[in-house]
Amino acid sequence: MEDNAGSMAEVPDLIPARMLSEFVYCPRLCYIEWIDGEFVDNEDTVDGRFQHRRVDSEAEKIQEDEFETFHARSVSLDGSKVGVTCRIDLLEGEGKRVTPVEYKRGRAPDIPEGAYEPDRVQLCAQGLVLKENGFQCDQGIVYFVRSKKRVLVAFDKALQQRTRDLISNLRKTALKREMPPPLQDSPKCNRCSLAGICLPDEVNLLQEIEANGGVEKSGEKGLLGKIRKLLPARDDALPVYVVGHGNMVRKKGDLLEIWSAVKDGALGEKDGAKEERGGKGKDGRVLEVRLREISQVNLYGGVEITTPALADLMQRGVPVMHFTRGGWFQGISSGHTHKNVELRMKQFEWAMDRKKSLSIARCLVYGKIKNCRTQVRRNDPESPAKVLEKLDKLSGDAKKASNIEKLLGIEGAAAEIYFGRLDGLLKGDQGFTFQNRNRRPPLDPVNAVLSYLYGVLAKEMFVTLLAVGFDPYLGFYHQPRYGRPALALDMMEEFRPLIADSTAITLFNNRELSERDFIKTGIGISLMPKAKKRVIEGYERRMETEITHPLFGYTVSYRRVLEVQARLLSRVLSCEIKEYPAFLRR
Ligand code: SF4
């Protein structure tokens, strides 16, 4: 047994033959899918599954038209000596002599071998498993659905040896627990459904910058400017917000319905968040959304959700977030948590190591201070040069802080300077001013909106980190405390000025909020329910804003950027890149 086997999650005894095919195509793809347990569909993978379903349903017809005989379809078989498990699409033959048939969705390639190597290796692995189970098998068939062509693959000695070598290499890779490097500028990445997880060009660029002493290579030799946009700028699925005590979320077929607490059809302050978009039906239903178009459901202040709705959302992997009326994030209902145990083990290892934690925390605070500076520089033309200089210096100090306590001090000093200038970012004519940052409770409207938005942003980061495979409660900068989503708070630092503060300033400066939107509660100030909806809408507008990525150069939404940053953090923990690259707006 390998040395590291005891401390790491175990590698399954048998390698699925399909993973062998992926390993040949791209070792990293195989690792992400098989070891990290991550998978995302794209057009090709959905179509591939559809074609395989067709294989199952049309097996009888295909038997008559294309093959003389076959004995079974969708045959699952293990070969413990070969070390492979497989599911054979079709098995034809007589007695002990059999031929496995593997269906591929595309057209037969015009190459001498008749089929690509990943397909031939997968088929050969099936042949080896069949032999181990007592069958005679010396050839297989790849059936290309689009061109309706059968390609015979002989399991000659060379192919068998290649297949055995690949099985051994894949097992070694899995035991090593190191994600293979991304392909370099490969056309394979263009169609890879895992590109958004793998980030091939991004990782290659960051490694190049690190190898070049932190400097971006320019011109023909460098990767800068050659980063392909392999991830969509925005998600098709979007969040749903339901605000107001007594509102109800139900499931009807493929739809999620939001029902108002007010039965007579009159709109009140308790209506659903999307009330403004479509109005409310006479029966009290304010909105219906296709379940497949939902990325998350956010319930604010005593909204009810039925068990069938919750179960369906869990099955789809759509998280349901619960908030108090005031916007305090209470918890999450989700299906099975992420399967990437490796990442969580690394996260715990790094969090326990003060030096490693500090190296990440420094970058997070550096990014936050830099973005605060950018916010002031861009939006406050009267800002004195020395304010920008001080923030610059503090960001540099953050990068060199010798411990977390010093870092906290630097962050505090920068926050005082930044919030000292925030009033200058507000247009004077809208009647709102900002003196200083206060909370629990916020004492003025601007602080009330900031607190609310920080809560929403923390939730966003929480969900993103969960989706990537992190434990959102264990951070590197914010210390662990019961119920505190420390990593979500860590990772939102660099985005506070860019997303939350920017949304608040826009809402006030565009006069989307007025004095009537706030209410005094005890010594504090709270947002009225309708105003909360407007704040959420402003926040969503910001999250969907497409920006040019300052380092990678492609356009991307802020929501996507959060995920990219979380994935880059995971690459730091796996030592693929040395330093967490904070997202810095220019
Ligand atoms: S994006 Fe490219 S490097 Fe990454 S897993 Fe896919 S094929 Fe491999």
Side-chain angles (χ1 to χ4, degrees):
M1 185 170 278
E2 304 287 327
D3 289 341
N4 58 356
S7 61
M8 293 291 187
E10 285 187 7
V11 175
D13 289 339
L14 301 179
I15 297 167
R18 191 175 66 80
M19 283 302 136
L20 210 54
S21 159
E22 309 237 313
F23 188 65
V24 181
Y25 184 81
C26 168
R28 187 173 172 96
L29 173 71
C30 172
Y31 191 97
I32 294 174
E33 219 179 298
W34 189 43
I35 304 299
D36 284 353
E38 300 213 57
F39 186 73
V40 180
D41 268 322
N42 69 4
E43 204 185 316
D44 290 348
T45 58
V46 170
D47 187 53
R49 263 205 312 279
F50 175 72
Q51 299 293 355
H52 267 85
R53 273 209 300 276
R54 270 189 64 211
V55 169
D56 290 349
S57 63
E58 295 189 7
E60 299 299 328
K61 183 169 168 284
I62 290 165
Q63 177 195 8
E64 287 165 20
D65 295 351
E66 307 289 344
F67 305 108
E68 289 172 4
T69 56
F70 79 91
H71 298 282
R73 58 189 163 91
S74 298
V75 178
S76 293
L77 213 57
D78 289 350
S80 57
K81 284 188 195 139
V82 182
V84 168
T85 180
C86 56
R87 186 168 179 267
I88 301 166
D89 289 341
L90 279 176
L91 193 61
E92 65 166 355
E94 287 182 38
K96 287 282 178 187
R97 178 160 291 282
V98 292
T99 304
V101 183
E102 176 65 23
Y103 280 73
K104 294 295 170 191
R105 61 185 281 276
R107 296 187 176 282
D110 186 15
I111 55 174
E113 297 86 350
Y116 292 118
E117 191 186 27
D119 300 340
R120 286 185 284 121
V121 164
Q122 181 181 354
L123 204 52
C124 184
Q126 293 174 3
L128 293 174
V129 171
L130 283 163
K131 276 194 194 176
E132 188 182 319
N133 283 275
F135 293 97
Q136 291 166 16
C137 181
D138 48 23
Q139 64 178 28
I141 290 168
V142 185
Y143 182 77
F144 291 94
V145 175
R146 290 257 192 277
S147 46
K148 294 194 170 177
K149 186 177 174 187
R150 290 188 305 167
V151 172
L152 196 75
V153 176
F155 302 153
D156 57 28
K157 275 199 178 142
L159 181 59
Q160 285 188 44
Q161 190 52 50
R162 171 78 175 140
T163 305
R164 287 186 194 282
D165 289 347
L166 284 163
I167 293 167
S168 163
N169 288 347
L170 172 47
R171 182 153 295 281
K172 278 184 202 150
T173 302
L175 283 166
K176 213 164 144 200
R177 297 290 175 184
E178 257 175 45
M179 188 184 286
L183 302 178
Q184 297 269 353
D185 197 25
S186 167
K188 290 178 182 176
C189 303
N190 297 339
R191 294 204 74 106
C192 178
S193 72
L194 299 190
I197 294 173
C198 161
L199 302 176
D201 291 359
E202 292 85 343
V203 169
N204 282 327
L205 173 70
L206 290 166
Q207 287 180 337
E208 179 188 280
I209 292 173
E210 285 177 351
N212 208 31
V215 183
E216 300 155 4
K217 271 192 203 168
S218 54
E220 275 304 296
K221 286 185 182 163
L223 291 172
L224 200 63
K226 296 177 195 163
I227 305 291
R228 290 164 294 178
K229 187 176 164 181
L230 295 172
L231 59 159
R234 55 172 73 225
D235 275 325
D236 292 329
L238 289 171
V240 168
Y241 292 85
V242 188
V243 184
H245 180 78
N247 283 339
M248 166 77 82
V249 178
R250 298 179 191 167
K251 172 184 176 325
K252 187 178 177 192
D254 286 340
L255 299 174
L256 196 73
E257 293 182 339
I258 291 129
W259 289 67
S260 165
V262 185
K263 294 272 194 300
D264 60 6
L267 289 174
E269 289 180 346
K270 296 173 178 175
D271 287 304
K274 298 224 177 178
E275 163 200 346
E276 287 82 359
R277 289 198 193 170
K280 184 163 74 76
K282 283 183 186 151
D283 54 2
R285 191 176 52 217
V286 288
L287 185 80
E288 52 183 36
V289 196
R290 282 193 197 90
L291 278 155
R292 65 180 155 82
E293 291 176 357
I294 299 172
S295 64
Q296 52 179 261
V297 176
N298 303 280
L299 309 178
Y300 283 78
V303 176
E304 293 172 35
I305 181 163
T306 63
T307 305
L310 199 56
D312 194 299
L313 290 163
M314 281 179 174
Q315 204 179 3
R316 289 169 191 267
V318 176
V320 178
M321 259 77 63
H322 307 267
F323 297 83
T324 62
R325 276 172 77 101
W328 186 251
F329 180 40
Q330 286 180 302
I332 183 168
S333 306
S334 64
H336 294 290
T337 51
H338 204 279
K339 296 174 194 160
N340 194 345
V341 181
E342 289 292 323
L343 178 59
R344 286 200 288 280
M345 290 200 296
K346 284 189 187 116
Q347 182 187 352
F348 276 69
E349 181 198 319
W350 277 64
M352 294 303 119
D353 186 318
R354 288 175 72 87
K355 212 170 146 195
K356 285 180 169 176
S357 291
L358 180 63
S359 69
I360 294 174
R362 281 181 190 143
C363 298
L364 296 169
V365 176
Y366 165 78
K368 178 185 183 179
I369 300 174
K370 277 280 183 196
N371 288 335
C372 285
R373 184 186 180 279
T374 303
Q375 183 81 342
V376 173
R377 179 178 57 76
R378 282 184 160 201
N379 302 302
D380 180 7
E382 288 169 18
S383 172
K386 70 172 192 257
V387 165
L388 300 180
E389 278 166 25
K390 275 188 196 165
L391 287 173
D392 229 3
K393 176 170 183 320
L394 286 166
S395 68
D397 292 347
K399 269 272 174 104
K400 293 178 278 186
S402 54
N403 55 51
I404 292 283
E405 292 69 30
K406 287 207 171 122
L407 197 54
L408 282 163
I410 292 165
E411 190 209 350
E416 206 176 317
I417 295 169
Y418 170 68
F419 283 120
R421 292 305 309 174
L422 201 72
D423 191 54
L425 275 60
L426 291 166
K427 282 184 193 163
D429 59 350
Q430 34 70 23
F432 293 100
T433 55
F434 182 85
Q435 303 304 321
N436 55 20
R437 174 77 184 125
N438 53 63
R439 60 203 179 110
R440 291 186 191 166
L443 302 175
D444 57 79
V446 178
N447 273 296
V449 173
L450 286 178
S451 290
Y452 195 73
L453 283 165
Y454 292 151
V456 177
L457 183 56
K459 171 270 305 180
E460 194 82 47
M461 211 63 243
F462 187 99
V463 174
T464 305
L465 290 165
L466 264 188
V468 170
F470 283 105
D471 180 340
Y473 290 98
L474 186 65
F476 305 108
Y477 179 45
H478 289 83
Q479 297 310 298
R481 190 198 299 159
Y482 185 80
R484 180 200 234 182
L487 187 59
L489 297 174
D490 282 2
M491 291 297 287
M492 69 181 259
E493 288 295 4
E494 62 203 284
F495 295 103
R496 280 178 192 259
L498 302 180
I499 296 176
D501 301 357
S502 176
T503 301
I505 289 158
T506 303
L507 286 166
F508 283 112
N509 287 351
N510 288 350
R511 296 177 177 275
E512 291 178 69
L513 293 170
S514 69
E515 288 289 349
R516 285 200 309 259
D517 290 319
F518 299 91
I519 185 169
K520 196 149 179 50
T521 47
I523 58 162
I525 295 279
S526 287
L527 276 155
M528 297 288 279
K530 276 196 169 178
K532 284 177 188 168
K533 281 190 244 172
R534 250 169 281 139
V535 172
I536 286 170
E537 282 170 2
Y539 169 82
E540 279 301 318
R541 281 200 304 269
R542 187 70 180 156
M543 292 304 282
E544 287 302 301
T545 303
E546 291 191 357
I547 47 164
T548 302
H549 195 288
L551 186 56
F552 304 140
Y554 45 56
T555 52
V556 63
S557 69
Y558 269 115
R559 179 162 279 121
R560 241 336 147 159
V561 168
L562 296 191
E563 187 193 328
V564 170
Q565 291 304 111
R567 296 215 176 271
L568 291 176
L569 177 66
S570 76
R571 300 293 180 256
V572 175
L573 303 197
S574 63
C575 299
E576 194 164 57
I577 48 178
K578 290 193 190 106
E579 191 172 272
Y580 172 73
F583 179 82
L584 305 177
R585 198 86 167 94
R586 286 186 178 160

